[in-house]
Amino acid sequence: MSTFDRIHLIVLDSVGIGAQPDANNFVNAGVPDGASDTLGHISKTVGLDVPNMAKIGLGNIPRPQALQTVPAESNPTGYVTKLEEVSLGKDTMTGHWEIMGLNITEPFDTFWDGFPEEILTKIEEFSGRKVIREANKPYSGTAVIDDFGPRQMETGELIIYTSADPVLQIAAHEDIIPLEELYRICEYARSITLERPALLGRIIARPYVGTPGNFTRTANRHDYAVSPFEDTVLNKLAAAGVPTYSVGKINDIFNGSGITNDMGHNKDNNHGVDTLINTMGLPEFEKGFSFTNLVDFDALYGHRRNAHGYRDCLHEFDGRLPEIIAAMRENDLLLITADHGNDPTYAGTDHTREYIPLLAYSPAFKGNGVIPQGHFADISATIADNFDVDKAMIGESFLDKLV
């Protein structure tokens, strides 16, 4: 019998909590990640006030005193710890896949110098459109359309760029390249990037509208991912008849594998929280697992090295946390975590190799405290344990610590 009827997992995308022991093996614009600390450096440089996460126990997670994020609670309402990544990567898909129980021993490919000519030429031949070579490099998604959007409106060329993630992104003005055409080109790009030397995690369609100097990306983004190479706990749950609900880009990250109910993409973090709360209120959601990603921390502020914006985004989520808790039922479990770091005070614009926090709260808890430090996949092992299904490749359950 399940300990909790429903489990709600929220990933605060990129909200890391300090460099892992192996962080110096990962480099950011030539600087090893060993001194990165997303939450610690935000707190130290611009201040951080997250009383609702602090109440659960965020400040009780063991960490160097000099980088203490928020004050510790003498009597927190939940259980907390930090978790270490074992997979060889620090990208979104690697983090999420490991959280769901997989060990990624061969990282996806990234292209800091842009994509090889062979890929661009194939896309040109398929689409009948030229590719703007000057955009072919790691680029801010808003900057690249500001820089090349006017040219695309004149010529109809494709804006193809990448980022710190193993992704190929195609930006297209909806009035110049219709959505159906953009999606078809992205599907082709997906088909030619499924194996090395160009094994990419995602192809992303990035439509936008507007006029030069006033371009805006639309909600018609679409991600073309690869399916996990082995069953995750999502698959184990679905096969056992346990409903799984995805909010935000979760469905894209897992290519729909193991998702029984996709609740759609988020327009922003607040919209994602609204969708989660609405999902929690569904009368048919009596038992099961919801999985939410809130990406604004990473996409809008981490990669753009905007510490003030990142802090404000954390404050905004913290202000919504009481609504999420109010939507919980007595026998629900809420887990809040991250998938990697993205220290906005650090070098470059890449993710950072960090521990992730774990906050656990349930109205049914009788106790509180710090549980032993573990690994990302322990989350999925705990979920599997709760719903009496097999775990995936890796992970150890901490369910018996949540009392």
Side-chain angles (χ1 to χ4, degrees):
M1 178 181 243
S2 300
T3 301
F4 298 99
D5 294 330
R6 308 192 304 177
I7 297 179
H8 311 289
L9 175 60
I10 302 175
V11 174
L12 309 183
D13 203 304
S14 85
V15 181
I17 196 165
Q20 292 193 178
D22 65 353
N24 280 331
N25 297 331
F26 296 80
V27 177
N28 209 333
V31 179
D33 282 353
S36 61
D37 188 332
T38 299
L39 277 175
H41 288 154
I42 289 172
S43 179
K44 183 177 180 180
T45 59
V46 296
L48 187 63
D49 183 21
V50 285
N52 296 304
M53 284 190 282
K55 186 177 180 182
I56 295 174
L58 178 61
N60 297 67
I61 298 175
R63 55 193 278 102
Q65 188 61 38
L67 289 173
Q68 189 61 39
T69 307
V70 295
E73 289 280 318
S74 59
N75 188 32
T77 60
Y79 293 88
V80 297
T81 190
K82 61 183 179 183
L83 303 175
E84 183 176 355
E85 186 168 23
V86 299
S87 294
L88 295 180
K90 55 175 180 174
D91 59 273
T92 295
M93 287 185 66
T94 299
H96 282 78
W97 284 14
E98 183 172 327
I99 287 170
M100 284 295 104
L102 301 189
N103 182 8
I104 291 79
T105 57
E106 294 187 24
F108 295 102
D109 296 315
T110 52
F111 291 88
W112 286 98
D113 296 321
F115 297 104
E117 188 65 22
E118 179 184 6
I119 288 179
L120 302 184
T121 300
K122 286 182 176 179
I123 293 174
E124 286 180 331
E125 290 174 349
F126 173 82
S127 67
R129 294 181 180 272
K130 291 294 185 181
V131 172
I132 300 175
R133 294 303 193 276
E134 296 89 334
N136 178 34
K137 59 184 178 181
Y139 229 116
S140 158
T142 51
V144 78
I145 60 175
D146 285 340
D147 290 348
F148 299 104
R151 175 171 165 179
Q152 183 177 72
M153 294 186 75
E154 292 177 4
T155 67
E157 295 171 288
L158 295 171
I159 300 172
I160 293 181
Y161 65 105
T162 187
S163 71
D165 270 354
V167 299
L168 182 152
Q169 306 187 71
I170 305 180
H173 196 293
E174 292 189 5
D175 292 340
I176 305 301
I177 302 175
L179 283 174
E180 294 75 13
E181 181 182 354
L182 172 61
Y183 293 162
R184 187 169 64 251
I185 296 169
C186 287
E187 288 170 359
Y188 173 75
R190 173 72 283 172
S191 73
I192 62 171
T193 55
L194 291 171
E195 57 186 31
R196 301 195 192 282
L199 175 59
L200 296 176
R202 286 175 292 159
I203 308 299
I204 307 177
R206 290 285 198 175
Y208 66 98
V209 295
T211 55
N214 191 34
F215 291 129
T216 304
R217 295 197 293 189
T218 74
N220 293 318
R221 163 182 171 161
H222 191 83
D223 293 39
Y224 299 84
V226 289
S227 296
F229 57 85
E230 193 165 312
D231 280 353
T232 70
V233 166
L234 286 167
N235 300 107
K236 311 279 189 182
L237 294 173
V242 178
T244 60
Y245 294 80
S246 67
V247 176
K249 65 179 185 177
I250 294 297
N251 190 65
D252 291 336
I253 291 170
F254 291 90
N255 204 27
S257 183
I259 305 296
T260 65
N261 301 274
D262 177 24
M263 309 310 291
H265 290 149
N266 299 335
K267 297 176 183 176
D268 52 35
N269 278 3
N270 272 325
H271 177 249
V273 171
D274 290 341
T275 302
L276 171 60
I277 291 171
N278 290 337
T279 301
M280 293 167 73
L282 293 173
E284 64 269 26
F285 188 8
E286 291 292 332
K287 173 184 176 182
F289 172 59
S290 75
F291 196 176
T292 298
N293 173 282
L294 301 178
V295 74
D296 289 358
F297 309 102
D298 186 56
L300 299 185
Y301 307 111
H303 287 302
R304 299 179 190 180
R305 293 304 187 250
N306 181 347
H308 286 88
Y310 205 125
R311 174 205 60 195
D312 294 346
C313 197
L314 285 164
H315 289 176
E316 183 177 65
F317 170 75
D318 192 74
R320 300 294 308 272
L321 189 51
E323 296 175 61
I324 297 171
I325 290 174
M328 295 176 68
R329 298 173 188 170
E330 180 65 26
N331 209 34
D332 280 7
L333 173 65
L334 173 66
L335 301 173
I336 301 173
T337 191
D339 56 339
H340 49 70
N342 199 343
D343 187 341
T345 72
Y346 216 62
T349 59
D350 194 1
H351 297 149
T352 42
R353 177 77 165 182
E354 298 184 43
Y355 291 107
I356 57 173
L358 177 70
L359 310 181
Y361 171 79
S362 174
F365 282 168
K366 302 294 189 293
N368 61 54
V370 178
I371 60 179
Q373 180 183 313
H375 299 94
F376 284 24
D378 294 353
I379 294 173
S380 64
T382 301
I383 294 165
D385 190 10
N386 183 77
F387 291 111
D388 298 318
V389 301
D390 291 337
K391 69 177 186 179
M393 293 175 65
I394 57 173
E396 298 299 327
S397 173
F398 51 81
L399 186 65
D400 63 345
K401 307 290 194 300
L402 306 178
V403 294

